[in-house]
Amino acid sequence: MDLEFSPADIAFREEARAFIAENYPAHLRAKADEGEELAKEDFLAWHRILAEKGWVAPAWPTQYGGPGWTTTQRYIWSEELARADTIPIMPFGINMVGPVIYTFGTAEQKARFLPRILSGDDWWCQGYSEPGAGSDLASLRTRAVRDGDHYIVNGQKTWTTLAQHADWGFFLVRTDPDAKQQEGISFLLIDMKTPGITVRPIITLGGEHEVNEVWLEDVRVPVENRIYEENKGWTCAKFLLAHERTGIAGVARSKRGVERIKTIARAEMDGDRPLIANAFFKRKIAELEMDLTALEFTELRTLASEAAGRGPGPESSLLKIKGTEIQQRLTELALEAVGHYGAPYFRGFPTGDNATPIGPDYAHRAAPTYFNGRKTSIYGGSNEIQRNIIAKMVLGL
Amino acid sequence: MDFSFNETQQMLRDTLARYLADTYDFDTRRKWIAGEAGRDPGIWRALATELGILGAPFAEAHGGLGGGAVENMIVMEQLGEAIAIEPYLQTVVIGGGALKAVGGAVADSVIPQIIAGDAVIAFAYAEPQGRYELSNLRTTARRDGAGWVLNGHKAVVYGAPWATHLLVTARTGGGQRDADGIGLFLVEANRPGIVRRDYPTVDGFRASEVYFEQCAVGAEALLGGEGDALPLIEQVVDEAVAALCAEATGVMRRLHTGTMDYAKQRKQFGRAIADFQVLQHRLVDMFMEVEQAVSMTLMATLRLGLPAAERSAAVSQAKARIGRGLRFTGQSAVQIHGGIGITDELAIGHYFKRATMIEGQFGSVDHHLARYEALALAD
Ligand SMILES: Cc1cc2nc3c(=O)[nH]c(=O)nc-3n(C[C@H](O)[C@H](O)[C@H](O)COP(=O)(O)OP(=O)(O)OC[C@H]3O[C@@H](n4cnc5c(N)ncnc54)[C@H](O)[C@@H]3O)c2cc1C
Ligand SMILES: Cc1cc2nc3c(=O)[nH]c(=O)nc-3n(C[C@H](O)[C@H](O)[C@H](O)COP(=O)(O)OP(=O)(O)OC[C@H]3O[C@@H](n4cnc5c(N)ncnc54)[C@H](O)[C@@H]3O)c2cc1C
């Protein structure tokens, strides 16, 4: 048992770090620093660079275009991305539907969809949740009725992240209304340009257009776009949720977040000293770092057992709960740190002009980020649901 | 001991509650905020003339209703329930409070204007470097003949775009953080030498960065003595914090009741989510926070008349306790709503945003705990 990286891992870390330093687009860094909303092209710019290098899908098997990294290398890679504060790679294709397709899809489906996920040619969205089916996902009602070699889909999805950019969506639909809830669901890939699909924005508390309602009205979907067997979609759905939860701990990004807070607290004055010298505030940072270390080593244990061939189990719920709690506390601390300048609302009025700036740049997104960050304990299975999962699956209650 | 309202107070509360219920629904508020002015000035006028409540804490000699801090508490709690963006705190509690305290000719002239709805005041006290420290001032007031010349930058002045007057703290002498050498000035907002940069705030108000550039004001602008205004400012801010606590109780109550209503009606797994014990307990904890906020607000309000150290200790205890309650109640409300809690469409998120801003306004939990320690736990 040891904590050190091997020489090979250290060499890999150097390589990864150098690659990011040389290739991460400068304009993206500037935009992210300004707290600007990222456009589709911004996400894709970095995606394409990584795709070209063959590094965009670290977890994929080599036969489908993965880099063939060990678990440790993947860990190092995510650390390096966070360290460089790169924008995230959208998870819907790479982390979610991709693994479903290579695990459950036919040879044709793999050949058709996987390369375009890797290249970034197709942007994916996740059509699971419905107005009446949130935590109770299996109660979903969007209906797919077989009509020859098509399904005709009717229903409504909601909270669909960045569906306004999406070329394709993976949807859970009910194909057998008479079966037991989980047993009548199928997993469909739907071209978002199909007639009958309407995407409407939902604006969230920070003013972002990040989620959408998706209405489906007599949408014709070829049967060949169904993954796995009819009425067996829940198997894919559960597999995907497990994948969604790994990495949700976000340890490396939270470490960056702590550093960012330290930077703010060094710049902000509290009387005649910087805020970081304030004993109350310093204690909160220390507690956060302590909890982050506990999370990090819990994640490392999970990774180690994954490397030993045991897949992510219900323990990943622990990572989700603790990881999101830490992410939320980071946003709380940032907002506390900026004091009065948490109040100005910058969306919709210029910041980059020649007018005198309103407060320090790091304050501009503190409040919206705090508001928006409340989502992390709600989505991906709420933290209450995660606790239910641990109670049932881990503790056997 | 008697915590009940008298008949006039009861009436004040009922009248305002009814008026706000009729006029201040969430969608209308939202329309005002999105508009160019950021509010409907007609509401302020109505509060002055139709309801006559802007005189609530002022003496009858000035045309007021003869009330005081309790009346402010009643009004602010109702405004909180409606997440109203009316500048009552700045104009009546703070501006009016300062004028009441200094009295004299300025008070005789401006208080009736406040009561009539003609004078709207914004409090320009915070500075970019100063955090929550009231004496941390770089803005200067230099004597110039009989009058003064103001220079400096005031940060995030709530309500400044709407104001007819600015209440300004400035250094007449001393070092940046000295307790001595601070003056309090009441200045017409359209005075030459005042430059504003206006913007909306995340909780629906309008605010400004206010720059004083060789702004000349008359001798009468100085409220109270030259250089000894800090005790007055501390008193006025304590009164403001007590009123803010009252607003917080209104906001928190709505966060709680709104969430209860939602939880009873939202069904998942074939039953109302309010049936899940973990959510029930959280709703109970929110309820306890609301009740304690009410208690702390009363406590602080009723102690505003005590000597400065006791008054400030009481106010800081209340603000710190309520600050915690605001965060817990706001976050719980959003969590129990699930996804819909973080949308802009629902009122609950806007209560959460206001709750969050109150938490920091006039000092965070940490600030007030430290202040309490300094006042009450000296070793
Ligand atoms: C920003 C954001 C992005 C999202 N992106 C997507 C997306 O791309 N695709 C997609 O399909 N979905 C997405 N979602 C939806 C997300 O998965 C749901 O919001 C989530 O599953 C919760 O469902 P709900 O919002 O309906 O809340 P509800 O299920 O109504 O829950 C309300 C409250 O009740 C609690 N609760 C429910 N059941 C129980 C129980 N049994 N025991 C205890 N407490 C319970 C919940 O924890 C929560 O606090 C997104 C959500 C958000 C906020
Ligand atoms: C110091 C002391 C003095 C006492 N004096 C007296 C006395 O003078 N006269 C007298 O009659 N009794 C007395 N009691 C007994 C006391 O009332 C019981 O201990 C109490 O009612 C809890 O019962 P229990 O110990 O059997 O625990 P249990 O009822 O078995 O509870 C165990 C745990 O389960 C939890 N729990 C139980 N039901 C639920 C539920 N529905 N939902 C959520 N959680 C639940 C409890 O909160 C507790 O955490 C005393 C107890 C103590 C410790």
Side-chain angles (χ1 to χ4, degrees):
Chain A
M1 200 180 279
D2 71 71
L3 281 173
E4 301 308 317
F5 288 133
S6 70
D9 288 335
I10 290 170
F12 173 74
R13 186 173 63 192
E14 295 312 314
E15 187 190 357
R17 192 171 293 183
F19 179 79
I20 296 169
E22 282 158 31
N23 293 282
Y24 188 65
H27 75 275
L28 288 184
R29 187 171 309 286
K31 263 195 162 178
D33 287 349
E34 284 286 313
E36 280 181 55
E37 211 163 335
L38 295 168
K40 181 178 186 177
E41 273 315 306
D42 296 328
F43 287 108
L44 285 176
W46 182 222
H47 183 116
R48 290 207 179 97
I49 290 166
L50 292 177
E52 192 148 318
K53 176 79 175 167
W55 286 6
V56 77
W60 287 26
T62 41
Q63 70 200 100
Y64 302 119
W69 289 341
T70 62
T71 309
T72 307
Q73 282 176 311
R74 272 150 51 190
Y75 172 75
I76 290 171
W77 174 241
S78 70
E79 285 262 305
E80 289 306 313
L81 287 175
R83 194 173 162 278
D85 222 0
T86 60
I87 59 167
I89 292 299
M90 279 296 106
F92 305 105
I94 299 288
N95 294 347
M96 295 184 181
V97 76
V100 169
I101 293 173
Y102 65 64
T103 307
F104 298 98
T106 62
E108 292 75 37
Q109 288 170 333
K110 291 179 199 176
R112 179 172 171 207
F113 292 109
L114 294 179
R116 295 178 60 86
I117 292 174
L118 282 176
S119 65
D121 287 343
D122 290 336
W123 180 295
W124 285 80
C125 67
Q126 177 183 26
Y128 275 30
S129 306
E130 298 180 4
S135 297
D136 184 12
L137 182 59
S139 69
L140 62 93
R141 282 164 39 185
T142 295
R143 198 63 180 93
V145 179
R146 189 75 177 256
D147 178 30
D149 51 6
H150 280 77
Y151 289 105
I152 300 180
V153 182
N154 277 286
Q156 187 199 343
K157 296 292 177 179
T158 192
W159 312 122
T160 325
T161 299
L162 298 179
Q164 71 267 36
H165 300 326
D167 304 296
W168 282 83
F170 52 97
F171 286 78
L172 292 181
V173 297
R174 188 160 301 285
T175 34
D176 182 356
D178 301 322
K180 244 187 70 192
Q181 271 195 347
Q182 281 87 340
E183 285 161 19
I185 292 171
S186 299
F187 192 102
L188 292 189
L189 310 182
I190 303 182
D191 182 341
M192 294 297 283
K193 286 182 284 298
T194 319
I197 298 182
T198 314
V199 177
R200 293 197 194 130
I202 301 175
I203 303 301
T204 47
L205 281 183
E208 304 87 359
H209 174 197
E210 181 179 307
V211 287
N212 302 273
E213 294 177 324
V214 177
W215 299 75
L216 302 112
E217 248 178 295
D218 292 330
V219 176
R220 294 181 66 82
V221 180
V223 169
E224 73 221 35
N225 289 4
R226 190 193 68 229
I227 300 287
Y228 203 47
E229 293 166 40
E230 188 170 271
N231 299 328
K232 292 274 173 4
W234 195 248
T235 308
C236 307
K238 273 199 327 199
F239 168 87
L240 185 149
L241 286 174
H243 269 256
E244 183 179 352
R245 268 167 219 150
T246 57
I248 211 160
V251 170
R253 297 235 167 237
S254 288
K255 279 194 198 167
R256 267 294 298 160
V258 174
E259 292 313 311
R260 204 172 295 125
I261 289 188
K262 288 182 190 164
T263 309
I264 298 176
R266 284 191 195 102
E268 282 289 316
M269 289 305 288
D270 178 47
D272 55 0
R273 300 167 310 171
L275 179 62
I276 200 156
N278 176 311
F280 277 140
F281 200 80
K282 196 166 29 189
R283 175 61 55 87
K284 285 193 232 184
I285 297 180
E287 285 182 333
L288 200 60
E289 288 192 333
M290 171 186 79
D291 288 343
L292 194 48
T293 305
L295 178 66
E296 180 180 17
F297 276 78
T298 307
E299 185 178 43
L300 286 173
R301 283 171 55 211
T302 313
L303 286 175
S305 79
E306 226 177 289
R310 292 184 291 274
E315 298 85 355
S316 65
S317 292
L318 187 164
L319 301 179
K320 199 269 173 174
I321 295 170
K322 290 295 159 191
T324 54
E325 286 176 355
I326 285 172
Q327 289 156 32
Q328 292 180 333
R329 272 162 65 198
L330 282 165
T331 68
E332 291 170 9
L333 275 196
L335 183 57
E336 284 179 35
V338 302
H340 298 288
Y341 282 112
Y345 183 54
F346 287 88
R347 190 171 293 272
F349 72 101
T351 50
D353 61 4
N354 291 327
T356 13
I358 297 163
D361 286 351
Y362 56 66
H364 292 182
R365 293 285 302 157
T369 304
Y370 169 70
F371 299 143
N372 186 276
R374 302 313 308 166
K375 72 187 174 189
T376 63
S377 53
I378 295 169
Y379 66 24
S382 76
N383 286 10
E384 285 80 12
I385 294 298
Q386 303 297 344
R387 285 184 169 87
N388 288 349
I389 291 172
I390 296 178
K392 219 161 144 184
M393 313 294 286
V394 182
L395 306 183
L397 299 171
Chain B
M1 205 178 304
D2 180 11
F3 288 146
S4 58
F5 295 138
N6 65 32
E7 217 170 290
T8 331
Q9 291 167 339
Q10 192 78 49
M11 214 162 71
L12 173 66
R13 192 177 68 173
D14 295 347
T15 315
L16 182 54
R18 214 170 315 113
Y19 177 76
L20 291 172
D22 289 346
T23 56
Y24 229 102
D25 62 281
F26 177 65
D27 289 329
T28 311
R29 171 188 180 273
R30 210 227 251 308
K31 235 176 278 150
W32 293 332
I33 288 174
E36 196 167 335
R39 67 164 188 155
D40 176 1
I43 297 291
W44 190 250
R45 178 112 354 244
L47 291 178
T49 52
E50 262 176 61
L51 282 82
I53 66 154
L54 300 187
F58 296 112
E60 285 163 16
H62 281 136
L65 302 179
V70 172
E71 280 67 20
N72 279 339
M73 177 182 81
I74 291 170
V75 172
M76 287 297 290
E77 185 172 349
Q78 291 309 316
L79 293 176
E81 291 217 11
I83 39 173
I85 48 167
E86 303 308 312
Y88 187 91
L89 179 72
Q90 290 77 15
T91 303
V92 178
V93 180
I94 298 175
L99 288 165
K100 267 201 324 192
V102 298
V106 192
D108 290 343
S109 115
V110 181
I111 288 177
Q113 294 177 45
I114 293 177
I115 296 172
D118 294 332
V120 173
I121 298 173
F123 187 30
Y125 74 103
E127 299 190 1
Q129 82 291 343
R131 227 172 168 72
Y132 304 121
E133 201 177 23
L134 299 173
S135 61
N136 192 326
L137 299 174
R138 285 187 183 152
T139 299
T140 57
R142 183 167 41 77
R143 262 200 185 287
D144 182 43
W148 302 85
V149 174
L150 302 181
N151 276 290
H153 170 192
K154 292 294 182 179
V156 197
V157 184
Y158 264 62
W162 305 328
T164 58
H165 296 74
L166 300 174
L167 185 67
V168 189
T169 59
R171 243 182 212 293
T172 55
Q176 185 179 311
R177 298 178 59 226
D178 287 354
D180 289 331
I182 297 173
L184 183 63
F185 297 83
L186 187 69
V187 180
E188 291 96 344
N190 58 4
R191 205 102 203 150
I194 299 178
V195 178
R196 286 196 335 255
R197 182 145 192 235
D198 302 343
Y199 45 80
T201 63
V202 292
D203 51 347
F205 287 80
R206 294 290 163 98
S208 314
E209 298 301 287
V210 179
Y211 301 88
F212 295 93
E213 294 169 0
Q214 301 292 355
C215 172
V217 299
E220 73 290 347
L222 180 69
L223 301 185
E226 171 184 348
D228 62 0
L230 187 60
L232 168 64
I233 295 166
E234 299 250 2
Q235 180 195 325
V236 168
V237 169
D238 278 345
E239 290 166 5
V241 172
L244 201 56
C245 287
E247 184 188 353
T249 62
V251 172
M252 285 164 71
R253 182 173 290 118
R254 286 299 183 92
L255 280 165
H256 180 240
T257 54
T259 305
M260 282 221 299
D261 291 346
Y262 183 77
K264 283 187 212 157
Q265 156 235 311
R266 169 69 172 170
K267 287 204 166 62
Q268 286 290 276
F269 303 101
R271 50 187 168 149
I273 59 170
D275 285 352
F276 297 121
Q277 193 178 47
V278 70
L279 298 193
Q280 284 177 357
H281 284 191
R282 193 139 173 187
L283 285 162
V284 169
D285 289 340
M286 290 167 77
F287 165 75
M288 295 196 291
E289 289 297 344
V290 176
E291 289 304 318
Q292 291 182 92
V294 172
S295 308
M296 281 305 231
T297 301
L298 263 177
M299 182 280 295
T301 305
L302 297 176
R303 287 185 171 161
L304 285 175
L306 294 184
E310 291 164 66
R311 177 199 72 214
S312 296
V315 164
S316 279
Q317 265 197 330
K319 183 65 165 50
R321 188 69 200 71
I322 289 173
R324 289 216 171 126
L326 282 164
R327 185 179 291 188
F328 176 79
T329 311
Q331 293 184 347
S332 299
V334 173
Q335 183 67 24
I336 293 173
H337 274 79
I340 203 141
I342 68 151
T343 63
D344 188 59
E345 271 158 69
L346 239 66
I348 207 78
H350 295 262
Y351 281 89
F352 167 56
K353 290 205 264 190
R354 180 63 192 138
T356 304
M357 288 299 114
I358 296 177
E359 193 189 320
Q361 221 170 339
F362 291 109
S364 61
V365 171
D366 284 358
H367 170 81
H368 282 287
L369 278 175
R371 186 167 178 252
Y372 177 77
E373 287 174 6
L375 287 163
L377 300 175
D379 37 29

